[in-house]
Amino acid sequence: MAEGAGEEKKKFSIWDLPDVPVGQLPPHLELQRSRVSCNKDAPIHTESIQYSGAYASMGIDNSSRLDRFSNNFRVEVVRLNEDDMEFDMIGIDAAIANSFRRILIAELPTMAIEKVLIANNTSIIQDEVLAHRLGLVPIRVDPRLFDYLSENDQPNEKNTVVFKLHVQCKRGSPRITVKSDALKWLPNGSELVKETRNATSDSSSKPETYTYFGCSQETIPEFVKNPIIPKYPDIIIAKLGPGQEIELEAHAVKGIGKTHAKWSPVATAWYRMLPEVVLLEDIEDDLAEELKSKCPVNVFDIEDLGKGRRRATVARPRACTLCRECIRGDDWEKRVALRRVKDHFIFTIESTGALPPEVLFTEAVKILEDKCERVITELS
Amino acid sequence: MLCSQMVTFCGYSIPHPSEARVNIRVQTTGDPAREVLKEACQNLMLMCRHVRCTFDKAVEDFKARNAVKAMKIDSQDSSGDDSEESE
């Protein structure tokens, strides 16, 4: 067989045949390159074929060039609210989409409460539990206006936001629930006075507190319009019985999700590849009804062909969750093919409220660019 | 980097997950490997910029389209016309 084919090749080349498309892969290879086939047991062809010489024997140049990427890349926004968004990215590689997702979760900075100075806590919630809960409360402030606070720095108006919580449940009154709207912003900095050993000399000047604010944060124009408050006013922080009191000061600083999840600006961010449902043969009448009833998300629809015959069509492939119900029985695998498009990603970003989701994505891309630049400067 | 035509082998490994260190190995067909790595990083940067531009434009278009739709719905409500499907 091989010898016969070799002799034939010397006589004519397969490319001379009129209907073989030159410069394109044959359909089965194109399927392998651009789609993940989800079979009954496991998906196949999942890796992206990136090697530049991969299809060299077919005469195809698989190397990725920037101009080809720029021409093919598209973004389509499906839904955009104040707190979440869903958009499609078409023409991008899985590795880059994954890096955006990872940066969104772990490396975008936010402000969150880190230090809690407790003056009085007679409630049943322990100090450390209270501090942990306060750290997880999302704060509605743009983290780009602040700097990081390192160990050697003093906390000042450029890197700290101070909140105060003072709640008391009087004897004889019913229990109260402390919600996050009880956190009051102190634009002038800490009010708790530090105890210093030599307190005699500086009695005329201001007593030293735990922060060193040069000027009030209220003077910054962004905060005049939007005072800093927790994003959701109804988060329960603690519950107090009669006679119990909580008095504390909380300092919020800038950090990234890698250090602690409280600094993650997204509730979560995820992507999925676009599902593609293909009917390999015409499915008619009873089989069509059966197929339509199998799918839990109503991907299939029935259309009338006239003369009482009905045919199944794929109406909403995007809603498919790939539960594989439609290929579960006997023979169904021959009729329905479930695939995913390898370079079409449906991204969903849910923000916790500090920044709107489209700004979050733009910042994530900027962070990836900064990292590349750092590598380039280190290499030179 | 795999897609560049000058690269015959490239791979990375992370020796231990607790320390932030990545070993990258690049083998090329004659060009210095450092240049190939730099070029790949620069390509990635340009790709990121393009992604950002496209994304910003798409978000603006979406907002503009929704603003128009909201205005159309408002004008329909206020004038009380018979229902007309917008787009």
Side-chain angles (χ1 to χ4, degrees):
Chain A
M1 164 74 186
E3 278 180 27
E7 279 173 20
E8 268 188 297
K9 270 192 188 158
K10 285 176 199 156
K11 287 183 200 160
F12 75 91
S13 161
I14 198 166
W15 300 114
D16 294 340
L17 290 173
D19 55 349
V20 173
V22 186
Q24 265 181 1
L25 285 172
H28 63 283
L29 281 184
E30 182 65 32
L31 187 77
Q32 195 183 25
R33 188 180 74 103
S34 68
R35 304 284 192 272
V36 175
S37 307
C38 302
N39 298 334
K40 201 147 81 158
D41 40 3
I44 53 174
H45 304 314
T46 51
E47 70 285 344
S48 41
I49 302 185
Q50 281 186 329
Y51 182 52
S52 64
Y55 297 111
S57 55
M58 311 287 301
I60 310 292
D61 179 13
N62 197 27
S63 69
S64 124
R65 261 178 277 125
L66 198 55
D67 43 359
R68 228 177 1 153
F69 169 75
S70 317
N71 290 340
N72 297 343
F73 181 66
R74 277 186 353 238
V75 172
E76 286 164 9
V77 180
V78 170
R79 189 183 69 220
L80 178 61
N81 300 329
E82 194 191 316
D83 283 337
D84 62 10
M85 78 180 295
E86 186 181 331
F87 64 97
D88 286 14
M89 280 215 289
I90 305 161
I92 199 172
D93 190 48
I96 306 188
N98 195 30
S99 12
F100 290 148
R101 181 192 66 93
R102 290 180 64 156
I103 294 181
L104 276 166
I105 294 180
E107 301 199 25
L108 274 185
T110 341
M111 304 289 289
I113 292 177
E114 165 86 351
K115 273 216 182 94
V116 178
L117 306 168
I118 303 186
N120 188 0
N121 177 20
T122 46
S123 72
I124 52 166
I125 314 285
Q126 297 91 341
D127 286 351
E128 59 270 17
V129 175
L130 196 52
H132 180 249
R133 290 178 71 86
L134 283 171
L136 294 173
V137 170
I139 304 177
R140 200 187 68 182
V141 60
D142 188 345
R144 298 174 288 186
L145 301 169
F146 289 89
D147 303 328
Y148 287 97
L149 171 69
S150 64
E151 286 164 15
N152 313 328
D153 289 345
Q154 285 185 338
N156 56 30
E157 71 271 12
K158 291 218 178 25
N159 53 35
T160 320
V161 177
V162 181
F163 291 95
K164 178 171 124 144
L165 180 65
H166 187 177
V167 200
Q168 203 182 18
C169 183
K170 305 228 177 349
R171 283 199 183 279
S173 61
R175 290 178 208 237
I176 53 174
T177 313
V178 180
K179 296 208 172 147
S180 52
D181 55 0
L183 280 168
K184 301 269 176 293
W185 176 39
L186 299 178
N188 288 321
S190 170
E191 283 170 2
L192 289 178
V193 178
K194 237 192 235 184
E195 291 170 7
T196 49
R197 294 262 172 84
N198 37 344
T200 50
S201 44
D202 292 88
S203 53
S204 54
S205 57
K206 273 192 304 185
E208 204 180 289
T209 64
Y210 283 94
T211 58
Y212 304 90
F213 274 41
C215 64
S216 167
Q217 281 173 333
E218 262 173 342
T219 55
I220 302 174
E222 286 88 9
F223 300 145
V224 174
K225 285 180 282 176
N226 313 319
I228 303 181
I229 48 168
K231 168 80 182 176
Y232 300 101
D234 52 355
I235 301 177
I236 298 181
I237 299 181
K239 292 196 179 184
L240 293 179
Q244 295 176 350
E245 184 183 352
I246 297 181
E247 184 179 350
L248 54 83
E249 226 180 56
H251 296 194
V253 294
K254 188 166 161 175
I256 56 175
K258 239 199 261 199
T259 334
H260 193 285
K262 68 186 176 194
W263 276 301
S264 179
V266 290
T268 186
W270 75 91
Y271 64 79
R272 60 190 180 110
M273 292 196 278
L274 180 76
E276 193 184 30
V277 183
V278 173
L279 296 174
L280 296 171
E281 40 178 60
D282 270 343
I283 301 187
E284 304 201 345
D285 299 335
D286 292 332
L287 279 182
E289 294 284 340
E290 196 188 330
L291 183 61
K292 180 166 175 201
S293 58
K294 267 192 188 190
C295 183
V297 283
N298 294 329
V299 167
F300 300 100
D301 256 348
I302 310 276
E303 67 171 3
D304 279 321
L305 288 176
K307 295 187 200 162
R309 285 167 56 219
R310 304 175 312 264
R311 193 173 62 178
T313 55
V314 181
R316 286 161 291 270
R318 200 186 155 102
C320 180
T321 54
L322 256 71
C323 63
R324 292 181 172 91
E325 265 305 313
C326 38
I327 51 175
R328 193 169 293 267
D330 308 318
D331 292 340
W332 277 105
E333 262 201 349
K334 292 191 228 126
R335 298 183 197 128
V336 182
L338 292 178
R339 301 189 200 131
R340 283 204 193 266
V341 185
K342 270 190 204 173
D343 60 354
H344 184 140
F345 295 95
I346 303 176
F347 250 93
T348 315
I349 301 180
E350 289 178 8
S351 157
T352 47
L355 288 171
E358 65 269 12
V359 175
L360 282 177
F361 185 75
T362 318
E363 292 291 314
V365 180
K366 271 194 224 165
I367 288 186
L368 187 56
E369 274 177 46
D370 285 340
K371 286 190 174 189
C372 290
E373 223 179 284
R374 246 188 293 160
V375 174
I376 294 178
T377 44
E378 285 290 327
L379 276 179
S380 333
Chain B
M1 232 189 320
L2 257 185
C3 301
S4 160
Q5 281 176 324
M6 299 186 278
V7 169
T8 55
F9 178 91
C10 107
Y12 74 93
S13 75
I14 303 186
H16 194 278
S18 300
E19 52 172 74
R21 188 194 280 258
V22 177
N23 296 341
I24 305 181
R25 187 183 148 175
V26 183
Q27 184 174 326
T28 69
T29 58
D31 293 312
R34 199 171 263 208
E35 301 298 324
V36 172
L37 187 56
K38 238 198 289 186
E39 203 187 304
C41 283
Q42 274 160 351
N43 276 353
L44 184 60
M45 255 176 78
L46 292 172
M47 269 167 79
C48 283
R49 284 208 195 122
H50 182 78
V51 167
R52 216 174 356 134
C53 285
T54 321
F55 179 76
D56 286 336
K57 240 189 299 171
V59 168
E60 266 177 42
D61 287 343
F62 181 81
K63 285 191 183 160
R65 252 187 300 144
N66 272 22
V68 167
K69 244 193 237 177
M71 281 197 314
K72 270 196 193 170
I73 295 174
D74 281 341
S75 63
Q76 277 177 14
D77 282 340
S78 57
S79 57
D81 280 335
D82 50 343
S83 62
E84 200 184 49
E85 277 206 347
S86 56
E87 289 178 334

